[in-house]
Structure formats: structure tokens, C-alpha cells
Amino acid sequence: MRVIGKYHLGIVARTVVLILFLVFGHTVIAQIDSGLFFTRSSPEIYGVLPVDKKLFVYKVHQAKGEIDFSVKNESFENIAFQSLQLPPNVEKLEADIHGDQAFILLGYGEFNNYLKKLLIVDLETGLYNIRDVQSNFDFPSFFKAFSSAILMIGVLEDGDVMEIYNFDQDHLSTITDFFRPNTRIWDINVVNDQVDLLLMLGEKKRKHLQVVSFDQEGNRLLDIPVEIPEKKNFFVRNAKFLHGPFDEQKIVGIYSNKYGEWFSGYFNLEINEFLEQRFQLYPYKELEGFYDYLGNNKKSKKPKRTNFNRGMILVDAVAGDGFVTIVSQPIGKVRKFAHFIAIDHEGEKVFDKSVKLYYDYKLNASDLQLTNQDSTIYFLFGGNQNLRNLPGKKIYEINKGESVQINQVQHLLTDPTILNYLPSPKFLHWYENKFVIFGLTIPQGGRVNQAEFIIRKIEV
């Protein structure tokens, strides 16, 4: 294990752009909870994180360092509420949930010697404590919590560096095993108190995958080369790391049979508790529902097919209720649909289906809040203005691959008028078929004289 001195690592970290080098936006950063909300005109940052059937809601006044947080039950009643004062001039923050605790990491920037504070909240009692955080980073590119430690990753020009700070022992482990050319962290899972990393190794033409695991003291637990068939005509394009219902690790993604093309189908690799690996392919030619979005073509008995299959990228993948759902999109100039494939715990394809969408921007620029509930897929999407497209945000429901139901959010809200003064609403999947909408309102004269943060439940 190579070690980089704190001084030198800090200099490097401040002279490169901290971005994740992952293909077409499939990044570790994308997994950070999307419940963060702020506007340029507001000095306050709001966030909402789901915790089973509860919600953790927080507000941070950056300039003053004031923090309010609450834990709400299903009825949106406060189980706990606290206000506290931390040092002013917060520059950055990230939040995460682990078990029955919420974590907020706050960074203070160069003028405060890159001070970092960690707020830890007990979600049952509302009690909290605050810790100073040791780290070589100005602020990490990625942050994840354990029960008594936090994981931080910095993405540098020459590779990735990982730190695990155990706040119970006040000990920092700096792991530089990935700080080398042609090596990147593609995805991360934290389960219980173990972090599993999916590594991409090798050059563009031939990527190799590897799984490594560490405990919250920074000790390496596993090092598993991924056994993908070594074929000249097999190229991994995108991959995502999932945790299955039986403690198995799943690596899913898309592959191509020809270098220079992007999509020949999906793959699914499972590593069970005995470290045995099972690899399965779902070739494009066997995807019966790939062109479902075309519907019935009156001019021809068969719908007209295009070469969208050559330009698909992985958008998201989730595991739940014994199923894995993968979604991809075309990357060509015309983007008309998203394709979904559902796989059961045995690796068998349950169904695949494409859904027609109306949009003029990249689908992966929109947070889908993808979830599957007993082989029913839910996702959120709005789309561009189109006479054939229902206005506003919609919750799409794919019922066992057979039918697609489109639910307009405005019809699911108890008080749909909130959309009139909620200019930039955020959405979050909560649990089962329930979502939340939240954001800052526009002052409405006599109704309210200042912006107000509101949150409402949506049930499909």
C-alpha cells in the first residue's frame, strides 16, 4: 500500500479538478443522495433523506453556520427536532444515512484551513454529537457513512485516493492502492460496516473489473478479480454495483461485441457468499420489448426499427424485492425512449420493455428515482413541452412488463396548487409506491412574505 504525504496530497488535490472519470456520466457521485436542495438566491441549503418510513430533513444556513434538523414519521409529524450552532461560512456539505443514524459532513474551505465537521444524529431519539474530521482532502468528491466511520474519496488526475476516518478511534486510514494510471473506482456499496468497491482497470479497448472490500478500520477484507469471459468481441461499456437480497454482490451493465460501438446487450455477474461467480448475458437480439415504444405502425405490419441498439448507455440500475432492474437510453441525436430489463434472483429475464418519452435533453440529466416493487417499476420523468406529452412531472408505472401507466404528479397531490409557487421542485422516492416533493416557494404577497421550504407526500 502506497502512502502519499499529507502536504503533497493536499497540494495535488487543490490543483486538479475533482471529477470522476466514468463513462458518460455513470459516476460514483451520481449515487450521492439527490435530496439536496438549494438556490442561488438563498443562503440556506435544504435536504431530505428517506429512512425506511421516516424522513430526515435538514436546513443549513451557510453564512451563519446554523443548522435545523428534524425526523418525521409517515404523517409528517416531528419525532425529533433540534437547532444548533456550528462555525459560520460553510462552503460545502454532503449527507448520508447509515442504519439508525444520519450524517452531515460540512467543509469550510481555504480561509478556515479546510476545517471539516461531522454532525451525527440518532434518528430514534434526535440526540446528536459533533466531531472534527481528519482528512487530507480539501473536501471529498464522494462521502459515505459507516456506523462509527466515514468513507471519503478524492478523484485526482492520476487516480483515486480513499480515506476512512474512524471517529470512535480518531484514526485516519489513507488508501492509495487505486492511485495509478488506468485504474478508477466505478461504483461503491456500503453494507453493514463493510465497503465494497468496483474497480475498472485497463485501457479503453480492454477494461477489467475487480471487487475489493475494506472494513471501517481500513483493513482490506476481499480482493476478487471479476471473471468476465476473455473474448476479443466482448467489451464492458458501463457497469453498476448492487447488493442483492441474499447478501450477494451483483455487477450489472451493458457490453458491446465490437469496439467503437456501445451496445450489444446487458450482462449480469453475481458473486455469492462463497465467492462463486455466475455470469449471464442478455443479448440485444433476444430483447423482445426493445421496440415497444414504437407501438403499432399503421403503414407496416412490423414497426420500423432503427439502429438505436448501437448507441445505448446505462442510466441506472436498482435491486429490490428479489429483482434487478436496469435502464438504458440511446445517445444519438434523437432520443425517444428508455429501455428497461427486469431480472429475477436466479438471473432469469422476467421482462424487457421500452417506454416512449418526450424530451430534448439527455435522460441521465434527469433524476429518475428508479425503484422496483414486486416486479412493478416506478420512475419519475417530466420531458419537454409537447402537445402529445402530459404537462409537468409524471410517475411512470410499468406493471410486470405488460402495461405502462402514466400518473401526473399534479393529480396525485392533495393540494396541487403548491406547484404554482414551487418553481424548482425536487422529488425523491420514499418507500414502496410513495414519493415526496419538496422545495422553496416563491413569496406570494399576502400569502407569505418570504420563501418557505415545504415537503409533501405523493402516493401512486
Side-chain angles (χ1 to χ4, degrees):
M1 180 184 299
R2 293 188 293 158
V3 177
I4 299 177
K6 180 172 182 177
Y7 172 78
H8 296 290
L9 182 57
I11 293 296
V12 174
R14 286 191 287 272
T15 57
V16 299
V17 178
L18 294 184
I19 61 173
L20 285 175
F21 182 73
L22 299 175
V23 182
F24 283 93
H26 172 60
T27 69
V28 173
I29 286 180
Q31 293 191 335
I32 297 174
D33 194 277
S34 60
L36 196 65
F37 181 90
F38 66 95
T39 64
R40 292 178 182 271
S41 59
S42 173
E44 298 172 331
I45 296 177
Y46 295 81
V48 179
L49 295 175
V51 193
D52 297 325
K53 296 183 179 181
K54 296 179 289 188
L55 291 170
F56 177 67
V57 182
Y58 60 90
K59 177 182 74 173
V60 178
H61 194 295
Q62 291 180 269
K64 297 179 180 179
E66 298 171 348
I67 299 180
D68 296 334
F69 68 81
S70 62
V71 182
K72 297 182 181 295
N73 61 18
E74 288 182 273
S75 302
F76 281 30
E77 300 168 332
N78 281 348
I79 300 172
F81 177 84
Q82 294 279 6
S83 296
L84 60 145
Q85 179 68 57
L86 286 177
N89 302 317
V90 176
E91 289 197 1
K92 297 181 180 180
L93 71 84
E94 295 292 349
D96 191 30
I97 299 289
H98 184 81
D100 58 359
Q101 291 181 306
F103 298 79
I104 300 179
L105 179 66
L106 303 105
Y108 288 87
E110 183 177 5
F111 292 106
N112 289 284
N113 199 29
Y114 298 101
L115 173 70
K116 282 172 280 294
K117 295 279 187 179
L118 181 67
L119 171 64
I120 308 168
V121 179
D122 187 309
L123 297 171
E124 298 295 328
T125 65
L127 298 176
Y128 67 90
N129 60 73
I130 301 167
R131 305 290 184 97
D132 289 329
V133 174
Q134 293 186 36
S135 174
N136 293 305
F137 302 130
D138 296 351
F139 197 79
S141 302
F142 178 77
F143 158 74
K144 201 75 177 169
F146 297 82
S147 59
S148 58
I150 57 172
L151 165 73
M152 297 174 287
I153 291 177
V155 182
L156 309 178
E157 189 174 27
D158 296 324
D160 300 337
V161 177
M162 183 172 74
E163 293 182 337
I164 296 178
Y165 176 61
N166 189 305
F167 47 80
D168 276 356
Q169 302 176 8
D170 191 27
H171 179 261
L172 178 68
S173 301
T174 301
I175 300 164
T176 61
D177 300 43
F178 328 119
F179 192 73
R180 58 178 183 262
N182 300 319
T183 301
R184 290 291 174 178
I185 299 173
W186 257 18
D187 214 344
I188 294 176
N189 269 333
V190 174
V191 180
N192 298 323
D193 285 326
Q194 175 176 310
V195 56
D196 300 320
L197 307 177
L198 176 63
L199 302 182
M200 181 276 290
L201 307 96
E203 299 182 3
K204 293 181 180 180
K205 288 189 176 182
R206 183 62 65 183
K207 294 183 178 71
H208 302 278
L209 302 178
Q210 186 174 350
V211 175
V212 294
S213 301
F214 296 85
D215 63 18
Q216 58 183 348
E217 280 78 42
N219 301 310
R220 183 177 288 218
L221 303 176
L222 295 173
D223 194 334
I224 309 171
V226 174
E227 297 174 1
I228 290 179
E230 289 291 337
K231 298 179 180 178
K232 289 184 179 180
N233 60 345
F234 185 90
F235 300 90
V236 175
R237 293 307 184 188
N238 300 124
K240 190 169 175 61
F241 204 15
L242 303 174
H243 185 77
F246 306 105
D247 290 331
E248 74 273 24
Q249 297 167 324
K250 293 180 178 290
I251 303 170
V252 299
I254 63 174
Y255 72 93
S256 67
N257 289 326
K258 181 179 179 181
Y259 184 73
E261 293 187 357
W262 269 95
F263 183 80
S264 297
Y266 301 93
F267 70 88
N268 173 31
L269 187 140
E270 178 181 307
I271 305 173
N272 65 20
E273 59 182 328
F274 304 108
L275 305 185
E276 299 168 334
Q277 299 185 29
R278 181 178 64 188
F279 182 76
Q280 291 172 282
L281 293 178
Y282 311 91
Y284 158 73
K285 63 183 180 180
E286 297 177 11
L287 302 176
E288 299 92 344
F290 192 87
Y291 289 96
D292 282 356
Y293 79 95
L294 287 172
N296 295 321
N297 191 324
K298 296 179 181 180
K299 296 180 180 180
S300 173
K301 293 182 180 180
K302 293 183 179 180
K304 182 181 178 181
R305 299 193 171 199
T306 59
N307 290 325
F308 279 129
N309 61 296
R310 294 187 179 180
M312 302 288 288
I313 61 169
L314 180 70
V315 175
D316 202 0
V318 295
D321 285 351
F323 293 88
V324 169
T325 299
I326 310 172
V327 57
S328 64
Q329 69 156 123
I331 58 176
K333 293 181 180 180
V334 180
R335 309 175 185 92
K336 294 183 177 180
F337 69 99
H339 182 253
F340 298 80
I341 180 171
I343 304 167
D344 67 17
H345 68 280
E346 295 292 338
E348 297 296 323
K349 187 186 76 171
V350 180
F351 64 84
D352 77 278
K353 190 172 187 64
S354 64
V355 177
K356 187 176 183 64
L357 299 172
Y358 296 92
Y359 55 100
D360 53 7
Y361 52 86
K362 283 188 177 180
L363 177 61
N364 57 4
S366 175
D367 192 353
L368 296 181
Q369 292 297 313
L370 179 69
T371 181
N372 50 12
Q373 307 292 328
D374 191 23
S375 76
T376 297
I377 298 170
Y378 297 94
F379 71 97
L380 271 156
F381 192 73
N384 62 349
Q385 296 300 317
N386 190 306
L387 292 176
R388 294 172 293 176
N389 186 32
L390 296 172
K393 206 79 168 182
K394 278 82 63 178
I395 298 177
Y396 288 73
E397 182 179 350
I398 306 176
N399 299 296
K400 299 181 179 179
E402 297 173 359
S403 63
V404 179
Q405 182 173 336
I406 304 175
N407 308 280
Q408 287 179 269
V409 166
Q410 65 187 47
H411 294 158
L412 300 175
L413 289 168
T414 305
D415 178 15
T417 63
I418 66 168
L419 294 172
N420 296 332
Y421 51 89
L422 202 59
S424 302
K426 294 279 289 183
F427 297 86
L428 192 65
H429 175 250
W430 190 359
Y431 68 94
E432 296 174 355
N433 63 336
K434 297 174 179 62
F435 296 76
V436 293
I437 177 175
F438 60 95
L440 281 176
T441 63
I442 298 175
Q444 297 291 306
R447 187 181 184 281
V448 289
N449 55 16
Q450 61 181 5
E452 176 188 4
F453 180 76
I454 62 172
I455 178 171
R456 299 289 187 269
K457 179 168 68 175
I458 304 169
E459 185 170 356
V460 181

